Amino acid sequence: MSAPTTQDQPATQDRAMTDDQPVTRSRRARFVRKHLPTALLLVLAIIWLIPLWWMFSLSLTPNEILQRDTSNLLPPEVTFENFLSVFQVGLSGRWFLNSLIVASSTTLLTLTVSSMAGYAFARLRFPGKKILFPVVIAGLMVPQEVMFIPLFLIFETLGLHNTHPGLFLPRVGVPLGVFIMTTFFAAIPGEIEEAAQIDGASRWRIFRQIMLPMAMPAMTALAIFTFVLTWNDYLWPLVSATEREMFTITTGLASLQGNFAQATELGALMARGVLASLPLLLLFMIFQRQLIRGISLGSGGK
Amino acid sequence: MMVALKQARRTEQHTPATARSGPSSRRAGPERFSPRELGGLGFLLPFLAAYALFMLYPVFQAAVMSFFDWDFLDITRREWIGLSNYRRMFWGTEMTWTAGRMLPLRLIGLALLIPVVLAWRRGAVSRVAAISLGVGIVVLFGAVLGIHPGEGGRWYDSQFWLSFGNTLLFVVMSTPLIVGVGLALALAVNRPSRITGLLRAMFFAPYVLSVAVLTLIWAFMLNPSLGLVGVVGDWFGAQPINVLNSTTWAMPAIVVATMWWTVGFNLVLFLAGLQDIDRQQYEAASIDGAGPWQTFRHITIPGLRPTIRLVVVLQVIYSFQIFGQVFIMTRGGPDGATRVLIQHVFERGFRDFQLGYASAMSIFLFFVIIVVSVIQFLFLRGGEDEA
């Protein structure tokens, strides 16, 4: 970090001592030296995004052109037909809706349940806390692949396969949110709560009216992170929702792949890919900071 | 996640202190709670219910089922069969032991004794840990890996070994690459420039895509007749090959696609770690006349060590769980070259309905992840003390 700034020092002295012409040259050299790495990085970052860009480009290209040539990074002709077909042909619209319902429900439930539990663990005194907290946090280490077979049987018994609750309920038990919220609430100073206590406010009111508003940054981060993870979940929907109508956009899109020899519907397929990524890319653009914060918080990095 | 656990423990030590200063506890004795305090449990109940039902119970149930013959469709076929599922995984017929089997791998494994001894001598790991690790290495690489079916014999489930081997291969290939590239990008992006945020966002963007979008993009990118990779190869005069159909190249291709997809996650963690390093250290170094390399070697790397440890452990855990990319792009082909353990679990469980056997394999994977994480922790912690 400090390397470029230290190099500036001698150059400034040079300028004071020499006449005009070398100054401009050294200034230009300095400009290049300072900005060349950034420029190169920017080029690399643009190359990095070409695969994504390509998907968007293909989704806007008419299928007749795609049958001849798929290597265009800009559509030679722009059409929205591929996107119209998404909602007219097949179940993609339905899958998209399923994903919206499932991801929003999971996010809402996770926020409610985790903020309450996090508050309890961080601020309240109750029996069994010393045992419960480690037991809950140990759950962070369990990969979902270990649980999905018994989970499948539970939801079979409950008769909840191929339903929305069947898709969103299991993730509510994941302790990541509790971990994030506990860490956050534990860092809030006690005086604020004490003042409210003296005013005779109930626990629930303190939580709702004082603690929750303060926790908004952590809650936003948790919400974005949960939404992204749920939207992208693959294994559980694959196992639980076996009827085509109940696929999420992720499992649905996966089910459409596999036969790449026929490129006749390539544009429409790419349009479905765009549809599957658009909500998340938008969320990411708006809430970039919160999502990244969520990652740092969730992995215990910060 | 282990870090999370460790940090949580720290938070927990915190909480009694805050609770004591807080209004709720009047120091009424260690085991007595006012009705109001008992009411606090109400805040916990919704989560605890979900946690017990969808997490705790399934984990225990998976462990129990691994000792059962548990056919999903035929309810009469649910009986306790002891260790038979594990036997089916690990054993075969006509088993023998050969000293020379998988010799290079086993010698490399035995060579792991050297870092263990070194770490112990440095005092980085405790004696008990070093000895148990050493014994573990000798038993595993010296003896256990020499066991195999002899003439006319076969593994009960050779597909299990194939899938597990491929999973290990993926872990070994992907971890250094995705961690290394993430670190390199973080170092490059982390500069005093307004553009840093933009660069970070651009490299991170693929992470928000779902696995089905990743496979959609990359299966076409790599398609020999339709994809951009073929076009670029054409510029250099390379013959287009069907990468995903090649037993040699399919796995590397999946590793590269996975790197493109997830490296942003590591980049974010590394950037956060870099920004945590005290700026004064850099200033002091530049006053002392340290060059960029010295600064990197003596300030950046030690300062980043906790982050490196975190990222490596998380990466290994994620890599062990590889499934979606492979399952959608290659279905484990060609010739099983990319078949991974979760796919095997999935197919045994949900195509063949052998839920008991599938549970045993998932428990095995869990066990491997835990052991590997614990070992990593023992070793990478040693480095931190030195810093």
Side-chain angles (χ1 to χ4, degrees):
Chain A
M1 243 171 53
S2 63
T5 30
T6 43
Q7 279 162 6
D8 286 353
Q9 236 55 45
T12 335
Q13 280 171 0
D14 269 354
R15 187 168 39 175
M17 278 185 265
T18 46
D19 56 2
D20 273 345
Q21 246 203 328
V23 169
T24 41
R25 197 181 298 151
S26 86
R27 195 180 284 168
R28 196 176 301 149
R30 202 153 57 91
F31 183 84
V32 169
R33 206 188 311 146
K34 193 176 166 198
H35 292 284
L36 188 67
T38 314
L40 286 177
L41 265 176
L42 199 58
V43 171
L44 182 66
I46 289 167
I47 295 175
W48 195 258
L49 289 182
I50 281 182
L52 191 57
W53 175 266
W54 190 52
M55 175 175 74
F56 279 85
S57 162
L58 291 181
S59 73
L60 292 169
T61 310
N63 268 313
E64 305 88 71
I65 297 180
L66 289 181
Q67 279 172 7
R68 280 178 275 120
D69 182 13
T70 53
S71 63
N72 290 309
L73 282 180
L74 277 177
E77 249 177 76
V78 173
T79 174
F80 289 99
E81 215 145 286
N82 295 323
F83 283 95
L84 286 180
S85 89
V86 170
F87 293 99
Q88 288 161 351
V89 187
L91 290 162
S92 302
R94 170 84 209 229
W95 296 339
F96 184 78
L97 199 67
N98 287 342
S99 278
L100 267 187
I101 294 171
V102 171
S104 321
S105 314
T106 311
T107 308
L108 266 178
L109 280 173
T110 303
L111 281 184
T112 314
V113 159
S114 311
S115 61
M116 284 167 63
Y119 175 66
F121 276 132
R123 316 293 300 192
L124 303 182
R125 191 174 160 263
F126 54 82
K129 178 169 162 177
K130 280 202 180 111
I131 302 159
L132 281 176
F133 192 64
V135 166
V136 166
I137 293 306
L140 281 174
M141 285 189 303
V142 185
Q144 63 159 341
E145 288 80 6
V146 177
M147 309 169 305
F148 81 115
I149 294 167
L151 266 182
F152 176 82
L153 291 176
I154 294 173
F155 279 83
E156 180 73 23
T157 316
L158 296 173
L160 284 177
H161 282 309
N162 292 304
T163 66
H164 290 135
L167 287 171
F168 67 65
L169 280 177
R171 239 186 209 284
V172 180
V174 176
L176 183 71
V178 176
F179 170 64
I180 291 179
M181 296 314 294
T182 306
T183 319
F184 184 87
F185 281 127
I188 294 179
E191 290 84 12
I192 302 164
E193 225 179 344
E194 262 167 67
Q197 194 92 35
I198 293 164
D199 290 347
S202 71
R203 274 281 170 220
W204 180 249
R205 260 194 69 196
I206 295 174
F207 173 69
R208 279 293 308 274
Q209 295 183 349
I210 297 170
M211 300 307 263
L212 267 195
M214 281 201 286
M216 276 323 270
M219 302 262 283
T220 324
L222 175 61
I224 306 295
F225 199 43
T226 309
F227 192 91
V228 170
L229 286 182
T230 317
W231 184 279
N232 290 342
D233 215 358
Y234 178 63
L235 186 62
W236 177 246
L238 183 68
V239 171
S240 174
T242 45
E243 285 166 17
R244 288 188 76 80
E245 286 76 24
M246 287 309 295
F247 283 1
T248 62
I249 189 77
T250 300
T251 51
L253 187 63
S255 77
L256 294 176
Q257 297 172 43
N259 198 355
F260 290 118
Q262 43 177 32
T264 43
E265 289 299 316
L266 182 56
L269 192 54
M270 289 298 171
R272 285 168 169 83
V274 169
L275 189 75
S277 18
L278 217 49
L280 297 189
L281 286 173
L282 284 177
L283 265 186
F284 171 58
M285 279 184 230
I286 302 167
F287 294 107
Q288 199 211 122
R289 208 158 285 172
Q290 284 84 349
L291 178 61
I292 283 169
R293 203 177 124 84
I295 286 172
S296 299
L297 285 171
S299 47
K302 272 208 138 176
Chain B
M1 269 160 253
M2 303 272 284
V3 178
L5 187 68
K6 211 172 119 195
Q7 213 186 30
R9 227 176 282 138
R10 219 177 296 147
T11 336
E12 194 209 2
Q13 284 161 1
H14 249 319
T15 31
T18 38
R20 217 171 293 138
S21 66
S24 60
S25 58
R26 269 153 265 123
R27 282 298 221 154
E31 292 301 332
R32 283 170 59 193
F33 296 90
S34 68
R36 190 185 152 91
E37 282 171 341
L38 284 174
L41 270 173
F43 281 93
L44 206 58
L45 277 182
F47 173 75
L48 275 189
Y51 184 69
L53 187 56
F54 303 135
M55 225 126 166
L56 278 187
Y57 170 73
V59 171
F60 286 110
Q61 176 70 0
V64 170
M65 280 173 75
S66 75
F67 299 107
F68 274 75
D69 179 19
W70 194 302
D71 190 284
F72 173 58
L73 298 176
D74 185 358
I75 301 180
T76 57
R77 273 189 55 200
R78 279 175 199 179
E79 53 173 333
W80 176 271
I81 52 168
L83 289 170
S84 292
N85 284 326
Y86 292 96
R87 202 176 124 88
R88 181 175 163 201
M89 266 157 78
F90 299 129
W91 212 241
T93 55
E94 309 287 331
M95 299 300 281
T96 57
W97 187 86
T98 318
R101 183 173 172 267
M102 296 203 292
L103 199 59
L105 176 76
R106 284 166 65 198
L107 288 179
I108 294 170
L110 285 173
L112 288 175
L113 280 173
I114 298 167
V116 172
V117 171
L118 286 180
W120 172 46
R121 294 288 289 274
R122 259 192 308 143
V125 285
S126 74
R127 196 169 155 184
V128 179
I131 290 175
S132 41
L133 259 177
V135 170
I137 287 171
V138 171
V139 169
L140 180 64
F141 293 101
V144 174
L145 284 182
I147 302 173
H148 63 101
E151 232 169 292
R154 56 173 190 86
W155 295 107
Y156 288 127
D157 185 3
S158 59
Q159 295 271 302
F160 164 76
W161 289 109
L162 175 74
S163 329
F164 184 52
N166 284 334
T167 307
L168 283 181
L169 182 68
F170 180 82
V171 172
V172 169
M173 282 164 83
S174 66
T175 305
L177 186 75
I178 304 181
V179 173
V181 172
L183 179 59
L185 283 178
L187 290 169
V189 166
N190 186 32
R191 49 181 61 248
S193 161
R194 264 166 296 171
I195 218 160
T196 298
L198 177 69
L199 287 171
R200 181 181 66 176
M202 288 172 84
F203 286 114
F204 182 79
Y207 182 77
V208 303
L209 303 176
S210 78
V211 64
V213 176
L214 169 88
T215 57
L216 177 69
I217 293 177
W218 280 89
F220 271 96
M221 287 286 291
L222 297 167
N223 187 301
S225 52
L226 304 169
L228 288 183
V229 173
V231 174
V232 174
D234 208 37
W235 296 345
F236 299 101
Q239 284 293 316
I241 56 160
N242 196 340
V243 177
L244 291 178
N245 230 334
S246 140
T247 46
T248 321
W249 293 109
M251 191 58 105
I254 283 165
V255 171
V256 169
T258 308
M259 179 198 66
W260 180 79
W261 184 31
T262 58
V263 80
F265 185 88
N266 294 349
L267 167 68
V268 163
L269 291 181
F270 277 132
L271 269 180
L274 280 173
Q275 271 142 25
D276 274 354
I277 300 176
D278 190 358
R279 237 164 234 226
Q280 287 178 346
Q281 290 191 318
Y282 284 107
E283 279 157 26
S286 84
I287 291 167
D288 291 347
W293 170 249
Q294 284 171 307
T295 314
F296 176 72
R297 175 78 186 72
H298 295 289
I299 294 176
T300 310
I301 289 293
L304 215 49
R305 215 159 245 157
T307 316
I308 295 176
R309 175 186 59 192
L310 169 75
V311 172
V312 170
V313 173
L314 288 181
Q315 184 64 53
V316 168
I317 292 175
Y318 291 145
S319 288
F320 264 114
Q321 298 175 48
I322 178 175
F323 170 61
Q325 303 95 298
V326 176
F327 192 62
I328 305 171
M329 277 207 271
T330 65
R331 292 270 149 181
D335 268 344
T338 57
R339 189 183 174 86
V340 290
L341 195 52
I342 307 268
Q343 181 185 354
H344 198 49
V345 174
F346 174 77
E347 289 185 353
R348 283 287 176 272
F350 293 94
R351 197 191 58 197
D352 309 338
F353 300 115
Q354 302 165 355
L355 295 184
Y357 184 55
S359 295
M361 287 191 290
S362 68
I363 291 287
F364 169 70
L365 180 68
F366 188 28
F367 176 76
V368 170
I369 290 178
I370 288 179
V371 168
V372 171
S373 307
V374 167
I375 293 174
Q376 281 178 320
F377 252 88
L378 284 176
F379 272 83
L380 296 167
R381 191 186 56 193
E384 192 186 24
D385 297 341
E386 199 185 29

